Amino acid sequence: GAVVSQHPSRVICKSGTSVKIECRSLDFQATTMFWYRQFPKKSLMLMATSNEGSKATYEQGVEKDKFLINHASLTLSTLTVTSAHPEDSSFYICSAREHQSVKLFFGSGTQLSVL
Amino acid sequence: EDQVTQSPEALRLQEGESSSLNCSYTVSGLRGLFWYRQDPGKGPEFLFTLYSAGEEKEKERLKATLTKKESFLHITAPKPEDSATYLCAVQSTNDYKLSFGAGTTVTVRA
């Protein structure tokens, strides 16, 4: 199956700092990448959809100025949490879709803890 | 808006005790219904995609079925390593994003 690498797996930061999370498709070209957020024992909530070379489309209620998404190449998307606050602490997961495929493959997730 | 409801929330099984998980859904137009397995602190692992009512897919001890309103994930003679949270998601014909249910956490005791 397709491999999606997400880094880092865990990050602890101080309130007010910015954190960047990387998502890479290792063995395929990802025309579309998705970013999800998951709270403990809850399901995945879609934050945004990004297509290579285009601006990301954010779901209702997600602050695009706080969660900056870049999808500059067919194998890399990044999520930057700007001016992080404790309420941004969560498990962030990326997924990627290959062109002309309906399947989404997920990264291993990033646990963000903001102190 | 697409909606996915999974039941039960949690399921405790004895090793070898077969059972089924339910996923009820509403979607404007179904492109596909997906089943994933998620272990604690990890991302979802792809299991199956079902595209039309009547379709069935199998993988080891797991079998997924689909009707126009729901999907079932049958676990036959489970082993402790089958313990995980099983997530169901739908993909509409409008786009490729997945809408997830809350999951069923399965615990299999030896």
Side-chain angles (χ1 to χ4, degrees):
Chain A
V3 179
V4 176
S5 174
Q6 188 172 342
H7 179 80
S9 58
R10 183 177 295 272
V11 58
I12 301 172
C13 69
K14 292 183 179 180
S15 186
T17 60
S18 294
V19 174
K20 181 183 282 188
I21 302 169
E22 289 190 351
C23 180
R24 294 181 183 272
S25 56
L26 297 186
D27 51 1
F28 66 99
Q29 293 187 324
T31 51
T32 309
M33 286 188 170
F34 304 86
W35 288 93
Y36 288 84
R37 182 173 181 176
Q38 186 177 35
F39 291 102
K41 299 189 177 182
K42 299 292 184 182
S43 191
L44 283 73
M45 299 299 296
L46 181 65
M47 299 174 65
T49 302
S50 72
N51 292 295
E52 185 264 338
S54 303
K55 288 186 177 180
T57 302
Y58 290 81
E59 295 298 302
Q60 192 172 7
V62 177
E63 298 176 61
K64 61 181 180 182
D65 293 331
K66 166 167 274 297
F67 300 101
L68 301 179
I69 293 172
N70 184 281
H71 190 171
S73 79
L74 284 172
T75 59
L76 174 64
S77 177
T78 60
L79 167 67
T80 301
V81 183
T82 63
S83 187
H85 291 283
E87 56 265 31
D88 298 324
S89 298
S90 188
F91 192 55
Y92 293 88
I93 313 174
C94 71
S95 68
R97 181 184 77 88
E98 187 175 17
H99 182 57
Q100 294 187 329
S101 173
V102 300
K103 294 180 183 177
L104 271 65
F105 295 94
F106 285 81
S108 55
T110 297
Q111 182 64 53
L112 171 64
S113 299
V114 184
L115 305 179
Chain B
E1 184 177 327
D2 304 339
Q3 290 197 329
V4 180
T5 304
Q6 291 187 248
S7 62
E9 288 186 16
L11 192 58
R12 293 176 65 87
L13 301 172
Q14 197 69 32
E15 184 172 4
E17 178 188 1
S18 301
S19 189
S20 296
L21 285 57
N22 178 264
C23 171
S24 299
Y25 66 92
T26 56
V27 63
S28 54
L30 182 70
R31 187 193 300 275
L33 184 140
F34 294 71
W35 282 98
Y36 288 87
R37 169 192 169 126
Q38 186 177 27
D39 293 306
K42 302 292 184 182
E45 175 188 345
F46 173 79
L47 293 174
F48 304 108
T49 308
L50 301 167
Y51 298 100
S52 58
E55 190 175 359
E56 299 182 351
K57 287 192 176 175
E58 287 189 67
K59 179 181 179 180
E60 296 180 354
R61 294 177 292 281
L62 301 177
K63 179 180 177 180
T65 62
L66 180 66
T67 72
K68 288 185 178 181
K69 294 183 179 181
E70 58 190 350
S71 177
F72 290 93
L73 183 67
H74 307 279
I75 309 178
T76 302
K79 298 181 177 181
E81 52 261 43
D82 295 323
S83 297
T85 295
Y86 292 86
L87 298 169
C88 172
V90 294
Q91 186 180 67
S92 80
T93 52
N94 294 330
D95 51 42
Y96 291 93
K97 66 183 181 183
L98 294 179
S99 298
F100 281 87
T104 295
T105 299
V106 175
T107 304
V108 183
R109 297 165 291 174

